[in-house]
Amino acid sequence: MKVIYPGSFDPITIGHLDIIKRLNDMFDEVIIAILINEAKHSLFSIKERKQLIEKDIEEYKLENVKVKTFEGLLVDFAKKENSKIIVRGIRAIADYEYEMNIAQFNTNLYPGLETIFLLSDPKFSFISSSGVRELASFGGDVSKFVSKNVKKAIYEKNNLGGKNNGKY
Ligand code: PNS
């Protein structure tokens, strides 16, 4: 069975990675689908985000996982991929309310499409890409929230030479 795990992944966090590891153990094929959204200001380009995810997948030996990008509607990507299963992680009630609405839109647009929700591990339920971006922009330590690979890239982006001025 093939599932799609869509998102912005700007950047991928250990919360995302935990979901991806669990999906890798459950399904034959997991497609991580990065949304190309020119309108949204992002820290990492699509190419960089894809490379960062691919490095993490390789490091964690997640053999059933592939990374792709998509533009436009998720349902059109799902049709192209021949999959009727979308997966989203839920960290809190606020996520659920938002996700329920999107899931219902998607099933309405593509009858038969199912959205599966995985509850995030409580240890990761407060972690978000936006939180990581903000923390890094002020020179905070992101080690506990992203992989080593992403940590290096985020400090490079913030002109900290791959580390936080030697602090971490
Ligand atoms: O990581 P994010 O930003 O929470 O991911 C949101 C994403 C990419 C899953 C969602 O915005 C999406 O699917 N966008 C594509 C457009 C679409 O199909 N929207 C739903 C129909 S209203």
Side-chain angles (χ1 to χ4, degrees), residues 4 13 16-17 23 28 48 50 59 62-63 71 77 100 108 115 120 124 126 130 145 156 160:
I4 298 172
T13 67
H16 292 128
L17 268 174
L23 292 175
D28 307 309
E48 289 168 330
K50 187 165 184 278
E59 192 178 330
L62 302 173
E63 283 157 6
E71 242 172 321
F77 178 76
M100 186 179 77
N108 195 277
T115 303
S120 76
F124 305 133
F126 66 96
S130 58
F145 315 122
E156 274 166 7
L160 293 167

Coordinates of all heavy atoms in Angstrom, one line a residue, residues 4 13 16-17 23 28 48 50 59 62-63 71 77 100 108 115 120 124 126 130 145 156 160:
I4 N 0.7 9.0 1.0 CA 1.3 10.3 0.7 C 1.4 11.0 2.0 O 0.4 11.2 2.7 CB 0.6 11.0 -0.3 CG1 0.6 10.2 -1.6 CG2 1.1 12.4 -0.5 CD1 -0.3 10.8 -2.7
T13 N 11.5 18.3 10.8 CA 11.9 18.3 12.2 C 11.9 16.8 12.7 O 11.5 15.9 11.9 CB 10.8 19.0 13.1 OG1 9.6 18.3 13.0 CG2 10.6 20.4 12.6
H16 N 8.4 15.3 12.4 CA 8.1 14.8 11.1 C 8.8 13.4 11.0 O 8.2 12.4 10.5 CB 8.7 15.7 10.0 CG 8.0 17.0 9.8 ND1 8.7 18.2 9.8 CD2 6.7 17.3 9.7 CE1 7.9 19.2 9.6 NE2 6.7 18.7 9.5
L17 N 10.1 13.4 11.4 CA 10.9 12.1 11.2 C 10.3 11.0 11.9 O 10.3 9.8 11.4 CB 12.3 12.4 11.6 CG 13.3 12.8 10.6 CD1 14.7 13.1 11.2 CD2 13.5 11.8 9.5
L23 N 5.6 5.4 9.5 CA 5.0 5.1 8.3 C 5.8 4.1 7.5 O 5.3 3.2 6.9 CB 4.8 6.4 7.4 CG 3.8 7.4 7.9 CD1 3.8 8.7 7.0 CD2 2.4 6.8 7.9
D28 N 4.1 -0.1 2.4 CA 5.1 -0.6 1.4 C 5.8 0.6 0.8 O 7.0 0.6 0.5 CB 4.4 -1.3 0.3 CG 3.5 -2.4 0.8 OD1 4.1 -3.2 1.6 OD2 2.3 -2.5 0.5
E48 N 16.6 22.5 -1.6 CA 17.3 22.2 -0.3 C 16.4 21.4 0.7 O 17.0 20.5 1.3 CB 17.5 23.6 0.4 CG 18.6 24.4 -0.3 CD 18.7 25.9 0.2 OE1 17.6 26.4 0.7 OE2 19.8 26.4 0.1
K50 N 14.2 19.2 -0.1 CA 14.2 17.8 -0.6 C 15.5 17.1 -0.3 O 15.5 16.0 0.2 CB 14.0 17.8 -2.2 CG 13.8 16.5 -2.8 CD 13.3 16.7 -4.2 CE 13.0 15.3 -4.9 NZ 14.1 14.7 -5.5
E59 N 20.1 8.4 6.3 CA 20.7 8.2 7.6 C 19.9 7.2 8.5 O 20.5 6.3 9.1 CB 20.9 9.5 8.3 CG 21.8 9.3 9.5 CD 22.1 10.6 10.2 OE1 22.1 11.7 9.6 OE2 22.3 10.6 11.5
L62 N 15.4 4.5 5.9 CA 14.0 4.4 5.7 C 13.8 4.0 4.3 O 13.6 4.8 3.4 CB 13.3 5.7 6.1 CG 13.6 6.1 7.6 CD1 13.0 7.5 7.8 CD2 13.0 5.1 8.6
E63 N 13.8 2.7 4.1 CA 13.9 2.2 2.7 C 12.6 2.3 1.9 O 12.6 2.2 0.6 CB 14.4 0.7 2.7 CG 15.9 0.7 2.9 CD 16.4 -0.6 3.5 OE1 15.6 -1.5 3.6 OE2 17.6 -0.6 3.8
E71 N 2.9 20.8 -7.0 CA 2.3 22.2 -7.1 C 0.8 22.0 -7.3 O 0.4 21.1 -7.9 CB 2.9 22.8 -8.4 CG 3.7 24.0 -8.2 CD 4.4 24.5 -9.5 OE1 4.8 23.6 -10.3 OE2 4.4 25.7 -9.6
F77 N -2.2 15.6 -7.1 CA -0.9 14.8 -6.9 C -1.2 13.4 -6.5 O -0.6 12.4 -7.0 CB -0.1 15.5 -5.8 CG 1.2 14.8 -5.5 CD1 2.3 14.9 -6.4 CD2 1.3 14.0 -4.4 CE1 3.5 14.2 -6.1 CE2 2.5 13.3 -4.1 CZ 3.6 13.4 -5.0
M100 N -9.1 18.4 9.9 CA -10.4 17.8 9.6 C -11.1 18.5 8.5 O -11.6 17.9 7.5 CB -11.3 17.9 10.9 CG -12.6 17.1 10.7 SD -13.6 17.2 12.2 CE -14.3 18.9 12.0
N108 N -14.0 15.4 -0.6 CA -15.1 15.9 -1.5 C -14.6 16.1 -2.9 O -15.3 15.8 -3.9 CB -15.6 17.2 -0.9 CG -16.9 17.6 -1.5 OD1 -16.9 18.2 -2.6 ND2 -18.0 17.3 -0.8
T115 N -8.0 10.3 4.7 CA -6.9 10.9 5.4 C -6.7 10.2 6.7 O -7.6 10.1 7.5 CB -7.1 12.4 5.6 OG1 -7.4 13.1 4.4 CG2 -5.9 13.1 6.3
S120 N 1.0 12.6 17.1 CA 2.5 12.7 17.3 C 2.9 12.2 18.7 O 2.0 12.2 19.6 CB 2.9 14.2 17.1 OG 2.6 14.9 18.3
F124 N 7.3 15.1 21.1 CA 7.5 15.9 20.0 C 6.3 16.9 19.7 O 6.4 17.6 18.7 CB 7.8 15.1 18.7 CG 8.9 14.1 18.9 CD1 8.7 12.8 18.5 CD2 10.1 14.5 19.5 CE1 9.8 11.9 18.6 CE2 11.1 13.5 19.6 CZ 11.0 12.2 19.2
F126 N 5.2 19.6 20.7 CA 5.3 21.1 20.6 C 6.2 21.5 19.5 O 6.4 22.8 19.3 CB 5.8 21.6 22.0 CG 7.2 21.1 22.2 CD1 8.3 21.9 21.9 CD2 7.5 19.8 22.7 CE1 9.6 21.5 22.1 CE2 8.8 19.4 22.9 CZ 9.9 20.2 22.6
S130 N 8.2 26.2 12.2 CA 8.2 27.7 12.4 C 9.0 28.0 13.7 O 9.8 28.9 13.8 CB 6.9 28.3 12.4 OG 6.0 27.7 13.3
F145 N 15.6 19.4 18.2 CA 14.4 19.4 17.4 C 14.5 19.0 16.0 O 13.5 18.8 15.3 CB 13.8 20.8 17.5 CG 13.8 21.4 18.9 CD1 14.4 22.6 19.2 CD2 13.2 20.7 19.9 CE1 14.5 23.1 20.5 CE2 13.2 21.2 21.2 CZ 13.8 22.3 21.5
E156 N 24.0 27.4 8.8 CA 24.6 28.0 7.6 C 23.7 29.0 7.0 O 24.2 30.1 6.6 CB 24.9 26.9 6.6 CG 26.2 26.2 6.9 CD 26.4 24.9 6.1 OE1 25.6 24.5 5.2 OE2 27.4 24.2 6.4
L160 N 25.8 31.4 10.4 CA 26.5 31.1 11.6 C 27.6 30.1 11.4 O 28.1 29.4 12.3 CB 25.6 30.6 12.7 CG 24.6 31.7 13.2 CD1 23.4 31.1 14.0 CD2 25.2 32.7 14.0

